[in-house]
């Protein structure tokens, strides 16, 4: 696919309604988990984005049938699955490739897994995955690939050394195929983890404690087929709240999954951005205080991310851009990824007043009048944050490396243009880097 740039005219007021796509981080493990069953599975509301397309290619390479019946409806029939070594180039494109470990162990008893890819946002350890799979009866060997085998998976009492989302998902998938009962403690409980659990139950699994940090999986049941609808992406909802705030627009976010938005809404309220719940929809009014709320005694407040149900790490980049358009000072504390804050230098170049204290903390003082610039998309969420900055900046900005944004946001230019934005999609005509050098963010 040709490299693409966005040419963004800033300063426009938006209006209208937008509906979030299906949750990318739910769709990835659910597509992987579909390999557990030899019966047809139909998945609805699947986001048609690059990460999903890559995983679909990977499961096809293993012998599974996967066909798009409609734009966002995917039919998977894993009647036969080969435990072949996964394609290294495809695996390197997405972190979600590691989710095939649990399903292939459960279905085939072994898997050879190249190192997973994904966003470059600091070290992202995979130890928790293998420690959990070991307790379920697997053994592994690390060379330039992960070679994992399990003659028979057996239920166990498993304590995760960190509440990793993907490790929880891998362990839950493997435990569904294991003989006996597994208790998974210190488990992640994000909405996408819950969605995977509901999908496994629809296949015939029995899982207790969904939505909590302790899951009990009664494994070994015969699994069938099902039709399952992926829930709305709460990270995309957070992105649209930020979009409305920085462009001073009123937007209605339809079918927003409001039951999963408590911590997100609290974070934006601290920035002086309030939303209104109307049934299944969320309305972001144009008329906002945009006044950062000080802590008691007038102290500088902090917005920090933490595991669910606290403020989501993937909304932090959006919240930083939003804070640049609000009056006051706030400390943004990114606790979970050591390199995610580094994109703020691009905002500083656009006129934002930000002090990067260390890899995890930044002080934002607003409001700042941002000016247009040529910037990169270093990862999915920072790329979306830079798009928001360009939409509220004076002048016309160029955003490079748009493929990063499109790994997580479906047809984002079309959808925002329908609200009144001006985002032109053009072929990237920059010179290719000389041998041994790479453009930033690639």
């Amino acid at each position: 696919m040709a490299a693409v740039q966005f040419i963004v005219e800033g300063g426009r007021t938006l209006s209208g309604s937008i509906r979030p796509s299906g949750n990318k981080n739910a769709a990835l493990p659910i597509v992987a988990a579909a390999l557990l069953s030899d019966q047809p599975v139909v998945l609805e509301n699947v986001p048609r984005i690059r990460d999903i397309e890559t995983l679909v290619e990977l499961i096809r390479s293993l012998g599974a049938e996967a066909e798009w019946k409609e734009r966002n409806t995917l039919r998977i029939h894993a009647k036969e699955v080969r435990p072949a070594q996964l394609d290294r180039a495809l695996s390197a494109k997405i972190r979600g490739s590691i989710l095939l470990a649990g399903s292939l162990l459960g279905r085939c008893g072994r898997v050879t897994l190249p190192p997973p890819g994904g966003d470059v946002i600091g070290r992202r350890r995979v130890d928790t995955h293998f420690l959990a799979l070991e307790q379920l009866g697997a053994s592994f060997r690390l060379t330039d690939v992960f070679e994992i085998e399990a003659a028979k998976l057996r239920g166990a009492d498993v304590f995760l050394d960190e509440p990793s989302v993907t490790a929880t998902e891998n362990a839950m998938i493997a435990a569904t195929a294991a003989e006996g009962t597994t208790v998974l403690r210190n488990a992640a409980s994000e909405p996408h983890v819950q969605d995977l659990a509901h999908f496994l139950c629809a296949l015939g699994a029995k899982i207790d404690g969904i939505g909590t940090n302790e899951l009990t999986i009664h494994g070994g049941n015969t699994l069938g087929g099902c039709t399952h609808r992926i829930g709305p992406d709460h990270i995309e909802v957070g992105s649209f709240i930020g979009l409305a705030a920085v462009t001073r627009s009123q937007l209605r976010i339809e079918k927003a999954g409001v039951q999963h938005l408590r911590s997100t809404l609290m974070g934006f309220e601290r920035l002086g951005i309030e939303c209104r719940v109307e049934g299944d929809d969320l309305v972001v009014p144009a008329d906002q205080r945009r006044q950062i709320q000080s802590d008691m005694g007038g102290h500088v407040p902090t917005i920090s991310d933490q595991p669910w149900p606290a403020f989501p790490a993937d909304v932090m980049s959006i919240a930083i851009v939003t804070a640049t358009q609000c009056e006051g000072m706030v400390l943004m504390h990114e606790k979970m990824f050591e390199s995610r804050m580094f994109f703020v230098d691009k905002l500083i170049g656009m006129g934002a007043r930000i002090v990067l204290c260390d890899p995890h903390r930044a002080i934002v003082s607003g409001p700042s009048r941002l000016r247009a610039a040529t910037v990169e998309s270093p990862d999915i969420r920072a790329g979306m944050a830079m798009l928001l900055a360009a939409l509220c900046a004076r002048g016309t900005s160029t955003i490079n490396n748009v493929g990063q944004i499109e790994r997580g946001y479906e047809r984002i230019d079309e959808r925002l243009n329908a609200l009144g934005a001006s985002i032109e999609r053009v072929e990237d005509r920059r010179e290719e880097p000389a041998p041994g050098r790479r453009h930033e963010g690639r």
Side-chain angles (χ1 to χ4, degrees), residues 84-132:
Q85 178 172 331
L86 296 177
D87 183 275
R88 182 179 290 271
L90 289 175
S91 298
K93 290 182 178 181
I94 56 170
R95 185 163 177 81
S97 60
I98 199 172
L99 291 163
L100 292 168
S103 52
L104 288 175
L105 271 181
R107 185 71 186 272
C108 306
R110 61 189 176 90
V111 57
T112 302
L113 184 73
D119 286 332
V120 182
I121 51 177
R123 179 177 178 237
R124 305 176 75 178
R125 65 195 292 268
V126 295
D127 307 53
T128 307
H129 295 254
F130 298 109
L131 291 171

Side-chain angles (χ1 to χ4, degrees), residues 7-8 13-14 20-21 32 41 43 51 69 74 96 99 108 112 125 171 183 201 219 239 250 312 346 387 394 410 440:
I7 309 301
V8 183
T13 300
L14 313 182
S21 300
V41 167
L43 303 177
D51 277 17
K69 305 302 290 185
L74 178 64
L99 291 163
C108 306
T112 302
R125 65 195 292 268
V183 179
C201 289
S239 302
Q250 174 159 316
K346 301 170 178 60
L387 178 56
R394 288 176 294 174
E410 181 177 1
E440 179 186 357

Side-chain angles (χ1 to χ4, degrees), residues 38 49 171 216-217 220 241 247 315 328 350 362 364 372 388 395-396 406 433:
D38 62 4
I49 55 176
T216 302
I217 302 106
I241 295 172
T247 59
V315 182
M350 295 178 75
V364 184
L388 264 59
T396 301
E406 296 184 327

Side-chain angles (χ1 to χ4, degrees), residues 193-216:
V193 178
Q194 298 176 40
D195 206 350
L196 170 63
H198 290 305
F199 169 71
L200 291 170
C201 289
L203 290 181
K206 184 178 180 184
I207 302 175
D208 300 321
I210 299 173
T212 74
N213 299 113
E214 182 175 303
L215 298 168
T216 302

